[in-house]
Every structure is written in C-alpha cells, then in structure tokens.
Amino acid sequence: MIWLTWRQHRVEAAIVFGALALLAAILIATGLDMRSAYDHLGIASCLSATNHDPTCPDAVEGFREQYGQWVSASAWLNLIPALLGILVGAPLVARELEHGTQRLVWTQSVTRWRWLAVKLAFVFVGCLAVAGTLWLLLAWWRQPWDTLSGRFGGAAFDFEGPVLLGFVAFALALGIASGAVLRRTVPAMVLMLALFLVVRLPVELQLRPIYQPPLTVTSNVLAGNPVTRADWMVDQQFIDAQGHLLDFRQVWSICGGQGVATKLDFLQCAHDHQFQSWTEYQPASRYWTFQAIETALYAVLALALLGLSGWWVRRRLS
C-alpha cells in the first residue's frame, strides 16, 4: 500500500517539494539582504528607548520602504494551506472514487480502513513537513521586520507559529472529506475552498481578537501610545471627558478645520478639548497562548473531518 500510494502521488509530491525549494531559495536570498540592511542602517540601536539619534527616523523609514513590498507580498503565502487542500486533499479520495480504482485495492485483502489510513498518513506527514519547514523559514525571514511591527497581528501570526500546521491540517482534512462525500474531484475542490474561507475568515477577524478579553489603556494624546510594537493593537479611538468613545471622524469634525496644518496641531486641538487616546490591545505575552488556542481549534476541526471521512468511506461507499 505504501509503494502504491507513493506511485499515485509522486507527481504532487515533486511539485510541492519543488515549490518549497524554490520558495526557500527566494526567502534565504531576500532574508540575508534584509538582515544586512537592518544591521547596516543600525535599526536595532534606533529602536532602543535611549537612542535619540536624529537620523534614526529616516533610517527606519528607508528600511520600511525598501522591504515593505516584500513583506506585503509574503501575505499571499496564506494561500498555501488552501492550495494544498485543493490540489492534494480534495483529489486524494475523490479521484479514486471517480474512477472506481479503489475497488481493485479493496479486493486484494486490503481493508477500507487500511487503504484510507495509509493515504492519510502519507499525505499528512509530507504536507505537515512542508508546513513546518515553511514556518521555520518565515520566522527567520521576518525577524528583522518583526522588531518594527511585532508578530502578533496580521500575517505574522499566521506564519510564525504552530497555527500554520493547524491551517494545513484543516485544509487537507476538509479537502479529503469533501472528496469522500461528493465523489467528484472538481466539485470537491470548489466546496473545499468555499468552506475553508467560511471558517478561516471569521476565526481570524472575529474570534482571534477575543480568545482572551482585550486590555484597554487610556493615555494623553500628546504623550504617545503606551502600547508597544510587540503588542497587538485591536482598536484605537478617542474618549471624551464624559467617557464616551469617539472615532477619528468625530474628532476630525471638531479639530479638522483650516487652522490644523499638521498632525501635532490636530492632537493639540484634541488635547484642548480634553479628548484622550483609548486603545484596546492584546499584550505580547499572550502570543503563544493565542497560537495554542487557534492551533487546537483547527486540530479539532481536522480530526472531526477525518473521522467523517473514515465513517463515510466505511459505511456509505460501495
């Protein structure tokens, strides 16, 4: 069974590992260049609270401009789990059911459970190895940038922890279950992608910020935000003397007149009206807790989907 499974999926394996090798080469080349610029510009010393070098703002801005496009482009790597689910997970069972080739295996003293278990083990070990390698590469690649922007919010959270393994496991399991139920490869691919987005987007945008109740802090608008780069800023507004929250547009309607020429003028006006800055955030100390929560969530969903696939193959397929 192992040799047969390898022969069936060797093309997909070659494509996946070839793409990983190409991506690794790009990340290593650009990562070394980014680290060289980071050291040459002295970004680390510029981020020190005791450093008052007047050239630091220009150095930091130059670093952001030089590598910001690379970091923004790396967000597209979030598609990798979905692509694995579509190209590897969905055809895994559906392709055999579509062509009826599974019957030959089942008549050679190979049970349905063993047939499915070998396929799942082969695919999951390979794809999770790819995801783990990608996790390590991206964590290394993003490290200089993370000192500026943190790794809690946005794509950094998706790449720099075990949650990436959770995404891949869930996508594969969802593709396999879709293929087992629909018995057709293309419809299974479409269903897998739709359901993946239906789950992934609400989890990221709605559930992740509230895995634990966010902390709030109120500060003088002229004093700067006390939330650090490593923290995840969930929301930021203004608060008036009566404790009412105001968004930027409401304060702009008061302080955005012709007399406001700079950002400092705007903040001074807000201060004169007794407005304060109100920030809701998740502290950096919760990073690994949030990683564990979200990874466990996707692991549970993946196990449930694999259980559904096993039950469907054993009980519903002839």
Side-chain angles (χ1 to χ4, degrees), residues 97-316:
L97 298 177
E98 203 167 17
H99 297 97
T101 53
Q102 86 285 357
R103 295 190 184 94
L104 176 62
V105 179
W106 293 349
T107 58
Q108 303 298 314
S109 72
V110 176
T111 65
R112 299 184 184 205
W113 278 113
R114 184 184 171 194
W115 172 78
L116 184 61
V118 171
K119 281 181 165 292
L120 293 180
F122 181 86
V123 168
F124 269 82
V125 169
C127 289
L128 290 180
V130 169
T133 303
L134 186 60
W135 163 17
L136 296 178
L137 280 170
L138 286 169
W140 171 83
W141 185 80
R142 288 186 55 96
Q143 193 275 329
W145 189 266
D146 289 344
T147 61
L148 295 177
S149 304
R151 59 176 181 171
F152 208 155
F157 185 90
D158 299 334
F159 296 144
E160 299 185 53
V163 72
L164 180 57
L165 304 181
F167 294 154
V168 171
F170 171 65
L172 288 173
L174 183 57
I176 293 165
S178 300
V181 172
L182 296 182
R183 308 190 191 190
R184 295 290 183 271
T185 302
V186 174
M189 291 176 172
V190 175
L191 179 63
M192 178 272 147
L193 179 59
L195 292 179
F196 182 80
L197 295 177
V198 164
V199 174
R200 173 90 186 259
L201 293 179
V203 167
E204 181 175 343
L205 300 177
Q206 298 177 8
L207 286 184
R208 186 184 297 172
I210 58 171
Y211 287 151
Q212 289 183 267
L215 304 181
T216 59
V217 61
T218 301
S219 59
N220 189 305
V221 294
L222 295 176
N225 198 319
V227 176
T228 69
R229 297 184 186 90
D231 298 325
W232 178 20
M233 188 184 301
V234 177
D235 190 16
Q236 186 175 33
Q237 299 185 53
F238 293 90
I239 188 170
D240 63 18
Q242 290 72 42
H244 301 127
L245 290 178
L246 308 171
D247 61 27
F248 178 80
R249 289 175 298 178
Q250 291 173 293
V251 177
W252 181 259
S253 66
I254 298 172
C255 293
Q258 295 183 354
V260 177
T262 65
K263 178 181 178 181
L264 182 59
D265 293 335
F266 173 77
L267 293 177
Q268 183 63 57
C269 172
H271 180 267
D272 294 341
H273 284 80
Q274 298 185 333
F275 296 148
Q276 291 184 296
S277 176
W278 177 91
T279 304
E280 186 178 57
Y281 72 102
Q282 295 286 359
S285 59
R286 294 178 177 179
Y287 176 80
W288 289 110
T289 300
F290 276 45
Q291 281 279 337
I293 291 172
E294 192 156 322
T295 303
L297 171 63
Y298 282 109
V300 168
L301 291 174
L303 289 173
L305 289 165
L306 291 177
L308 170 64
S309 300
W311 176 83
W312 200 273
V313 167
R314 185 176 183 184
R315 300 292 186 183
R316 300 301 298 270

